[in-house]
Amino acid sequence: MIELDKVAVSFGDRTLFSDVSLILPPGSFHFLTGPSGSGKTTLIRLCSMEMQPNSGQVQLLGKTVSGLSQNNVSAMRQRLGVVHQDSRFIDHLSVAENVALPAAVTGKTGRHTEYQLEELLAWVGLAGQAKNLPPELSGGERQRAALARAVMLSPDVLLADEPTGNVDWDMSIHILELLIELNKLGKTVLCATHDLNLIRQAKSRVSAKVLRLHGGAIEIAGAGL
Amino acid sequence: MIELDKVAVSFGDRTLFSDVSLILPPGSFHFLTGPSGSGKTTLIRLCSMEMQPNSGQVQLLGKTVSGLSQNNVSAMRQRLGVVHQDSRFIDHLSVAENVALPAAVTGKTGRHTEYQLEELLAWVGLAGQAKNLPPELSGGERQRAALARAVMLSPDVLLADEPTGNVDWDMSIHILELLIELNKLGKTVLCATHDLNLIRQAKSRVSAKVLRLHGGAIEIAGAGL
Amino acid sequence: MNLRSFLSRDATLNRVVPPSGFTAILTLVSSGVMAFLAVFTLALAMAAGDLASNWEAELAGTATVRITASDDVLEAETEAVLTALSQTPGVVSSRRLDLSEQLELLAPWFGTGLPLDELRLPVLIDIMETAEGPDRTGLEQRLAAEAPGAVYESHGRWRAPLVEAAGRLRTLGYFALFLIAVVTGVMITLAASTSLAANAQVVDVLRLVGAKNGWITGAFVLRFTVRAILGAFIGTLVGIVAVALMPGGIETGILSGLGFQGAEWIWPVLVPIIAGGTAAGATFLSAGRTLRSAL
Amino acid sequence: MNLRSFLSRDATLNRVVPPSGFTAILTLVSSGVMAFLAVFTLALAMAAGDLASNWEAELAGTATVRITASDDVLEAETEAVLTALSQTPGVVSSRRLDLSEQLELLAPWFGTGLPLDELRLPVLIDIMETAEGPDRTGLEQRLAAEAPGAVYESHGRWRAPLVEAAGRLRTLGYFALFLIAVVTGVMITLAASTSLAANAQVVDVLRLVGAKNGWITGAFVLRFTVRAILGAFIGTLVGIVAVALMPGGIETGILSGLGFQGAEWIWPVLVPIIAGGTAAGATFLSAGRTLRSAL
Ligand SMILES: Nc1ncnc2c1ncn2[C@@H]1O[C@H](COP(=O)(O)OP(=O)(O)OP(=O)(O)O)[C@@H](O)[C@H]1O
Ligand SMILES: Nc1ncnc2c1ncn2[C@@H]1O[C@H](COP(=O)(O)OP(=O)(O)OP(=O)(O)O)[C@@H](O)[C@H]1O
Ligand SMILES: [Mg+2]
Ligand SMILES: [Mg+2]
């Protein structure tokens, strides 16, 4: 589903990755950890086609990303759900409209979508804030709205960058459950987090692999987490 | 140092706080917890004069906030360090310039400030990113930069809204240590966090009180945390 | 918020670009102001053009041939001159003045009590010329050959600088108009690009949720074009009103050309359309550039 | 980045407002474009003004008094008329035409071979008038009383519409100039407010770190004013060059007033200064409004 092949990324004269390879098979569940600044967000941006590696290849949904036409990128984004660390919204649209945006821009409208939207908002606990504007949300509410938007179109792949960074433990578990549920439906999940407790919690529920970024290299963390 | 007296806050027809009172004496260390959306950020915004309560009074550094002239607010802000949940920077200034901003706008310049700045950046682990622009920072790096900026002028009061929301455990402890250090220097510290492990860790090092927001009321959490 | 209607594609297209705020005002006001200026310059340029045409028509059109000759050849030469004039391109008509008309011409200088019978007056032939007038040298050569006593006098000569001035005025007017058109284009383009740049976050979010470039461009083009047309429409209206209220408005004087008449109305009507087209083009190009640079 | 120099207050003041990007371009280009238009209109208004003055001076100034009387009173009436004219306000000078001059006047109509001795020609007095001319009714009454044979003829009459047109042209020019000034003000104000609104985050951060309102306002006013002046300066230069390159430039024709001469140069020089002042004022007010609304 996602394949990184000898990927190198550098910013200016600073090399972040020099040779990272990675394969996430369809239906797999991976956590991504590593200290702040180790490149978790960068890795996710590579997978969501928001940036291109300086060298190496990224394969996504069976296609090589570099050289894709922009319409192809758009089409693939519709099969991709991304929760960003700093969730971005259209600030003059209501929370509900923002969450519904992926459906709206692709013309997937109608009763079903509407019903799904309401359910989704209730699930992430934002039913009461549906008509608010994004700047009025609390930090955790923003993250939940971003998550709802990411899963709006039931994507094949879910990339989540610290989806529990701003929420309390109960809500973290709640979100984790959604991720697990999606994975059980056959979706590929990659979740960056620095919360080791969350990973421990997940391991008892799903066969998740833990990738650890450190010093520009990626390693599979053992059971001794 | 900070006193909230019968404070009520509502957004539209939704009442967040109806009657919250709170006293943070000088030199005290408080944690603020509560589920997502319970009003932690709102409470901190009240204390940092970024919003006014619908009714009730906020006293800060011995002064009643409502009715303060804008120049007084500015002067008080210089004695107040705030780390926001969504840290905001001036995006075309370098990280170092952003961190130095509180000193620069008040004319506190010179060798000493410069030295202090370098030390601070090294302390939060951003020495290597000093010349980068804020949008180039990782989530955790942004938070650390915001923390560095907040303590740049050695404020009397430090208000930190989830300062460890995006960093790994080691870095969380590191940041906690800075907060404790500042508190030992006599500063008043209020730190909102949803990370109960962090609070537990802190309690062994400093006599911190834990405030819990829930359903619009504030309660002091017992030892059974 | 009506979610069902938002979910329809067209409604989304309409809502994703901020409907208000400073970027909206910028496009609206810029195109309004520039349309106002354009209409105003248009009116001035047309007035100048009309003025120039009037002057040319009114002033450049008269000349005289004076024939002084002995009585025996006078009538023959007169005939010859009239024939020659009727064959000269650039001469609209020619007519021999009768005695009373000659008297009238002299009245300012001598009063009416002139003993004309005592004088041997020359024959005067009044000529109406086209704006360009006849080929003078050719005409004079022919007159010299056929009627040696004939002298051609163009009354238009002293008027030449005026005609020249009028022509130059017209040129200036159209040049200014061209200038305003260019400046209007620049300002609307600038406003559209600024608005687009200010809405970088909207573009960003739309791309992240999988909107196609064409869709995003469409949303911005739609909104900005509507805004530019609306602004230009208001500006044009205000401009037309301002022109009508101008000193020396539609009724009086030689500048009566100020204001639009008949077919001229097509120009102010075109202004909002052109503004809309410019905005659409500018937005399309800017959006294209912005979107190409993003992945 | 030189941190030491950034830490100095003035450097910070200079750096906190984005030095580039679309908000910078907006202010720069808006004020440049509007300055260009202002200079251009200025040149046109001045040319129109000069033209109007020329026409008025050249054309409005002549009249004639014709005296027809019996020989015994002719000289007396002539004297009376000359005295009367010399005492009439609005008459610059008056002069009796001699015989050869009268002949010249008649030449267009009769050729030079006129047997003048046979005629009893009236006396002609040539009058130079001021732009306003004398009070005609008063003058005619006095002439009727003192010299019953005198008839006053204003040659300026047929020129009146031209003079009127010239005057109206001048009015139009200055009105257009006023308009451009207003529009320039509006555009620069709009650009400054837009830039300020687009930089809301900068204002926000500055307030959070404890910058005083005056300081923040100062930073924006400084930057925008410099930008507006720079833009207007460039626009003015381009405008001056464009004016110089205009058809019928400085050398030729009746529109030779186009271009600036002597003291007129003060106006284009004022344009950048006024643009800067407008930008400073607009930014000051916008910033004030923005900052008041924030806590
Ligand atoms: N555009 C950029 N220009 C320069 N440096 C960058 C850029 N983007 C990221 N970096 C640097 O690359 C490193 C990795 O960033 P990244 O955001 O991937 O970290 P992360 O693992 O997500 O960290 P965190 O846990 O703090 O979010 C950081 O040190 C960051 O400063
Ligand atoms: N400007 C506003 N308009 C409307 N509602 C608001 C506004 N600001 C905050 N709220 C609401 O008030 C509640 C409290 O918000 P606040 O940001 O204080 O929560 P929080 O405790 O900081 O949550 P989190 O842990 O998620 O950051 C939220 O439900 C939020 O939606
Ligand atoms: Mg990150
Ligand atoms: Mg919060």
Side-chain angles (χ1 to χ4, degrees), chain D residues 147-173:
Chain D
V151 176
Y152 174 90
E153 288 271 347
S154 171
H155 300 174
R157 250 189 305 175
W158 64 262
R159 289 151 172 166
L162 275 183
V163 172
E164 192 193 337
R168 194 154 287 160
L169 207 63
R170 174 164 38 197
T171 312
L172 273 182

Side-chain angles (χ1 to χ4, degrees), chain B residues 49-50 70-71 74 77-78 84 88-90 92-94 97 100 104-107 109 111 114 117 149, chain D residues 1 3-4 6-7 9 12 15-19 201 204-205 207-208 210-213 215 291-292 295:
Chain B
M49 302 176 287
E50 283 169 73
Q70 281 156 355
N71 276 345
S74 298
R77 285 234 169 92
Q78 292 167 16
H84 290 92
R88 279 160 284 173
F89 298 97
I90 296 184
H92 66 276
L93 294 183
S94 71
E97 285 174 331
V105 300
T106 51
T109 59
R111 261 225 153 283
E114 214 181 316
L117 177 66
R149 184 178 64 189
Chain D
M1 178 212 63
L3 197 60
R4 181 128 8 126
F6 171 73
L7 281 172
R9 268 176 81 95
T12 319
R15 290 264 295 141
V16 290
V17 181
Q201 166 135 337
D204 212 34
V205 170
R207 286 200 53 84
L208 288 177
K212 291 207 168 40
N213 284 357
W215 194 90
L291 291 171
R292 238 189 316 285
L295 187 63

Side-chain angles (χ1 to χ4, degrees), chain B residues 124-143:
Chain B
V124 295
L126 290 177
Q129 271 88 0
K131 294 187 179 179
N132 285 24
L133 298 180
E136 297 170 352
L137 293 183
S138 82
E141 286 164 355
R142 283 178 77 84
Q143 269 184 327

Side-chain angles (χ1 to χ4, degrees), chain A residues 2 20 27 32 37 50 70 86 142 162 168 173 201:
Chain A
I2 300 182
V20 165
L32 183 62
E50 283 168 74
Q70 279 156 355
D86 55 329
R142 283 177 79 84
E162 311 258 17
D168 53 293
I173 296 297
Q201 187 74 26

